[in-house]
Amino acid sequence: MSDTVKFLLPEDKIPKDWYNIAADLPRPPDPVLHPGTLKPIGPQDLEPLFPMTLIQQEVATERTIEIPEPVREIYRQWRPSPLYRARRLERALDTPAKIYYKYEGVSPAGSHKPNTAVAQAFYNKQAGVRRLTTETGAGQWGSALAFAGALFGLEVRVYMVRVSFEQKPYRKALMESWGAQCVASPSSETQAGRQILVRSPNSPGSLGIAISEAVEVAAQHADTKYSLGSVLNHVLLHQTIIGQEALAQLEMAGDYPDVIVGCTGGGSNFAGIAFPFIGAGLRRGPKSRVIACEPAACPSLTRGKYAYDFGDTGHLTPLVKMHTLGSNFVPPGFHAGGLRYHGMAPLVSLLQELGLIESRAYSQTSCFEAGIQFARTEGILPAPEANHAVRGAIEEALRCRAEGSARTILFNLCGHGHFDMQAYIDFQAGRLADHSYDEAALDAALADLPRVAAE
Ligand SMILES: Cc1ncc(COP(=O)(O)O)c(C=O)c1O
């Protein structure tokens, strides 16, 4: 077995519970605040947007939460996902490091996003909801919810960030094939969208703007709820199935990661791979170094402030304590559309504050270089978002070579890039620029952070 490349678990080894890191944290997360009163909210404040089961998961403190059987039933189609040892990449890098990657691109939508989309659709259907609204950056999340909506007979309306909408017409076609509707954001159909269009008619859009549109529509219709693809505690919780499977697969391989790497947009795939390992470390198990990789053009963890902020640009959502670039910050239109979010999951932010994770920011071309090297050795063409994790893992492997140390690296290959070919065409033609954000616009967005007495 010494040359094994893929570590596969049988279907009956799909975890029965999600892992809730809140149970193991040295201190509880900060409360979520009401956007009007700036006081801590109660479950009823969130009821217009989410079904009660998801609200309860948001504040849950027990270590494990059972995965409903109908959700596990659907997971069986692609879970447990494979864990690979990147032997050809290791040889190409001439590194003594062992590199493992968990591949989430095997899901029907092509990424980790269905892990939570299926769960969210299940709980909404159970609560009698007829329609879901959501935002999407890369199109991966919109596709995932469209897929889940089709399985549970829910209507799905997706507000897709305009720059991605234009870059990736086939993502819209995929969502529509599953029966969802996909609208470019900012749109003229919501108050939040119209306000942006008046100020900035050519706005490329942002996740913060698309969230405002989706929240506004859900809040105005009793039969409609809102579904978020990242950031919130319950979304991160659903993704922990990734890391739990990886723990079992690495045990099969007789290894344990010294270093864990993931890309971060809102933090969900990173949390998914890392939280079960961080939890083990907090419960006095082995400790891994954990590295979050983000785009240099939207650097919430490495450049943002740890402060209370709105989750959206239109200030319709509650406030959460997180690393933020300011809710008015509109990042440049680089190709990793799923990483163009002004904030970071509160749980990931808290872990950084507690010194339990590190973060790095990488330019877009250095990530595409890493993605191409990965494709030419391992064969899989990663999503532009996932390229940030590939870049981080390669950097760690090269450090092992320089230091002559044989560490074990695990990273999350959270999606494939088959709908992102225009980005690869542009990169290969030398047309991809390294966008830098506008410093003055960032300073202005940070200066506009809400003033919260609790801080
Ligand atoms: C493939 C892929 N990876 C990563 C992300 C970023 O989200 P998160 O940080 O929640 O995993 C996205 C978001 O759309 C995505 O599509």
Side-chain angles (χ1 to χ4, degrees), residues 274-392:
F275 280 11
F277 291 92
I278 296 174
L282 287 167
R283 296 191 305 276
R284 298 177 193 278
K287 290 192 170 41
S288 312
R289 267 178 63 225
V290 183
I291 305 170
C293 301
E294 63 180 11
C298 190
S300 55
L301 278 171
T302 53
R303 175 71 171 81
K305 258 194 181 167
Y306 185 54
Y308 271 104
D309 198 6
F310 294 95
D312 70 321
T313 305
H315 297 179
L316 302 174
T317 69
L319 286 81
V320 293
K321 185 111 181 239
M322 62 178 175
H323 287 90
T324 177
L325 298 164
S327 60
N328 295 324
F329 177 75
V330 178
F334 57 89
H335 273 284
L339 308 185
R340 289 181 68 248
Y341 184 57
H342 66 273
M344 182 50 60
L347 283 172
V348 173
S349 294
L350 177 58
L351 289 177
Q352 176 161 288
E353 284 305 293
L354 293 169
L356 294 167
I357 64 167
E358 305 165 24
S359 49
R360 310 253 170 82
Y362 296 125
S363 71
Q364 117 161 307
T365 52
S366 75
C367 293
F368 274 94
E369 267 161 31
I372 290 286
Q373 184 171 25
F374 187 81
R376 290 185 185 172
T377 49
E378 294 297 310
I380 299 169
L381 190 75
E385 292 80 10
N387 281 343
H388 292 70
V390 178
R391 170 82 165 82

Side-chain angles (χ1 to χ4, degrees), residues 387-427:
N387 281 343
H388 292 70
V390 178
R391 170 82 165 82
I394 289 179
E395 193 170 277
E396 284 302 312
L398 292 177
R399 184 189 305 233
C400 287
R401 181 172 79 185
E403 294 171 1
S405 52
R407 285 189 284 268
T408 298
I409 300 165
L410 167 67
F411 77 92
N412 198 20
L413 189 65
C414 53
H416 68 63
H418 298 174
F419 289 86
D420 303 278
M421 296 317 298
Q422 191 58 49
Y424 280 95
I425 292 170
D426 290 346
F427 175 68

Side-chain angles (χ1 to χ4, degrees), residues 111-113 138 140 229-230 263-269 338-339 383 385 414-415:
S111 77
H112 61 296
K113 297 285 182 183
Q140 288 269 19
S230 189
C263 71
T264 41
S268 75
N269 87 86
L339 308 185
E385 292 80 10
C414 53

